[in-house]
Amino acid sequence: MANTITAGNATNGGTAISSDTSGTLELKTGSSSTTALTLDTSGNLQMNSGYGSVATAYGCRAWVNFNGTGTVAIRASGNVSSITDNGTGDYTVNFTTAMPDINYSASLSFSRDPDCPSGNIATNNATGGNVAPTTTALRVGMYLFGVGGKDVTYINIAVFR
Amino acid sequence: MNQRIIYPTDDGGVAIIIPAESIETAMKDIPEGKPYKIVDVDDIPSDRTFRDAWEYTA
């Protein structure tokens, strides 16, 4: 059964929330009843937030901003239960709610500090080998070639899936 | 958060868990079977010059 809830006057710029017979929830705004947001039966959130079209939004599942020097500390985070300091320039981000699988994408950025280290995800600084991501944690390493691990002041990690 | 969880690593060093919100939610991040201790943040040296030489003592 299709339902529509309309707020305001649709001819002069109201808002309408509707669900069609497929079960998709749709939010339309403005006098032209432009679709601004939909939620389909699979739970996919689609929106047009200035992108020019309505498309699925892939949210950040976890993020953290931390200081990896001195007294290592988290400045702010979302869906992160803790970080683990494994050694010099070697940290693990632990998720509060696990990822659905290990095929997520992680974005890593960090300050120069001032020796310009390289940064790697899924890496063990001590061995130089890969550490496969898990659904509950991701290891990251800051490294100076020819020197070894390097502590960094500003480290930011965001995880998408 | 003024507490930390420490546990020995497999290579003889020590890992330090820094909770985001509480010790309770970070407890799950201790590897299974590892001994651990909850310590005050002031018990962890802030001079990390020899960080990789730190050891866990029971």
Side-chain angles (χ1 to χ4, degrees), chain A residues 71-74 81, chain B residues 1-6 16-24 26 37-45:
Chain A
T71 300
V72 176
I74 296 172
S81 56
Chain B
M1 176 48 57
N2 294 320
Q3 290 180 304
R4 302 286 189 263
I5 303 168
I6 62 173
I16 303 159
I17 294 176
I18 297 97
E21 294 182 359
S22 69
I23 285 288
E24 289 74 21
K37 287 197 292 190
I38 297 172
V39 300
D40 193 272
V41 65
D42 293 333
D43 294 332
I44 307 291

Side-chain angles (χ1 to χ4, degrees), chain A residues 133-160:
Chain A
T134 70
T135 58
T136 58
L138 175 69
R139 194 160 177 166
V140 299
M142 308 295 143
Y143 194 85
L144 280 175
F145 287 102
V147 177
K150 173 74 170 72
D151 289 334
V152 176
T153 305
Y154 296 96
I155 303 174
N156 305 307
I157 297 161
V159 174
F160 300 87

Side-chain angles (χ1 to χ4, degrees), chain A residues 60-63 77-81 93-99, chain B residues 21:
Chain A
C60 175
R61 295 291 188 102
W63 63 273
S77 65
N79 193 30
V80 167
S81 56
V93 179
N94 302 299
F95 308 130
T96 304
T97 299
M99 298 297 137
Chain B
E21 294 182 359

